[in-house]
Amino acid sequence: MAGQLPLVLDRPDRHRLAYFHPGADGREAWDRVQALLAGEVRFAFLWGPSGAGKTHLLEGAARAAGGTYWELAALRREAETAGLDPETLLAAAPAGTLVALDGLEAVAGDAAWEAAVFHLYNRINEEGGRLLAAAATNPNSLGLVREELRSRLHWGGSFPLGRLSDDERLAALQGHAEVRGLALKDEVGRYLLRYYSRNMHQLMAALELLDAAALAERRRLTVPFVKAQLGL
């Protein structure tokens, strides 16, 4: 069951922290995650819209710390399918390490799930672990039914993440390419943003495909090459 799979060892490489670009609106959240990994703080709550990088940060932090990453919507579906209660599932997390809970909005308003998260939070605190949680909105707007959970989520501070500007997306894309040993010129990056996608998840997946194709064909990333490979 989900509780038996705590370690994030098989996540996509694009979700490593080295590949994350916080942008101007995400600098404070990024700094907080770094402080959490360094053991300077023990709790943090991140929030922002889809595509802001919450999952990237949580998966990357869990990977870097050898900890636990759980996407709560998927965990809830698994629990319902298997007939398991949330308390039992979340009790499987090794509370003495770093636990990353992604998508708290998926369980907000459900008293049983909120109680399980609350008890996990307390156990992490007692055992000296660290918790990084994230949702689409701040704790006050989540629709939580347990006031004590809302209070806990504020313990380590609430840090917003915003979507990147196009210039920041281009810089992030070029940074990913450089790590892969690729040269991504401005004109090629801007072509991707204009004609392929402005969603960073989709852009990173496209870059992986282009990397493999460029290596196989021994080609540079040019607009005609990108256009042909992505069918644009």
Side-chain angles (χ1 to χ4, degrees):
M1 66 177 148
Q4 302 299 318
L5 301 171
L7 294 182
V8 180
L9 300 177
D10 58 351
R11 296 293 176 181
D13 280 350
R14 61 181 177 273
H15 285 172
R16 292 183 183 274
L17 289 181
Y19 294 172
F20 187 78
H21 191 287
D25 292 340
R27 176 56 59 181
E28 191 176 13
W30 169 255
D31 289 344
R32 188 66 176 188
V33 171
Q34 295 302 309
L36 192 75
L37 289 172
E40 298 169 4
V41 298
R42 295 180 51 212
F43 302 100
F45 183 91
L46 311 181
W47 61 276
S50 176
K54 302 184 298 295
T55 295
H56 188 152
L57 271 178
L58 266 66
E59 288 190 349
R63 180 198 290 269
T68 303
Y69 170 86
W70 272 327
E71 200 276 310
L72 287 173
L75 194 64
R76 183 173 187 173
R77 289 193 298 269
E78 184 173 345
E80 291 171 352
T81 299
L84 300 171
D85 67 276
E87 194 77 44
T88 300
L89 282 175
L90 295 191
T97 61
L98 186 146
V99 178
L101 296 181
D102 197 2
L104 274 171
E105 66 272 12
V107 300
D110 186 310
W113 273 97
E114 287 191 21
V117 173
F118 175 71
H119 293 150
L120 173 60
Y121 210 117
N122 288 340
R123 190 159 58 89
I124 289 171
N125 189 42
E126 293 167 0
E127 297 185 21
R130 291 164 288 171
L131 179 71
L132 179 60
T137 188
N138 64 70
N140 292 333
S141 302
L142 271 176
L144 298 169
V145 296
R146 297 184 67 100
E147 181 58 39
E148 62 269 34
L149 177 58
R150 188 193 335 270
S151 175
R152 291 292 189 277
L153 294 176
H154 279 294
W155 272 9
S158 177
F159 304 90
L161 283 166
R163 290 191 179 95
L164 300 178
S165 69
D166 279 352
D167 284 344
E168 289 170 339
R169 286 186 177 93
L170 176 60
L173 199 56
Q174 289 175 323
H176 284 278
E178 184 177 356
V179 169
R180 293 175 172 276
L182 292 170
L184 183 68
K185 294 183 178 180
D186 285 2
E187 63 173 323
V188 179
R190 293 195 185 281
Y191 178 85
L192 284 169
L193 289 170
R194 182 174 182 181
Y195 294 105
Y196 184 71
S197 175
R198 295 170 70 247
N199 180 287
M200 288 305 299
H201 296 299
Q202 295 175 1
L203 287 168
M204 292 304 104
L207 190 62
E208 290 180 13
L209 184 154
L210 293 170
D211 182 17
L215 181 63
E217 299 186 25
R218 298 183 180 180
R219 297 279 299 277
R220 294 180 297 108
L221 295 187
T222 63
V223 169
F225 180 75
V226 167
K227 186 176 181 179
Q229 292 299 319
L230 298 180
L232 300 176

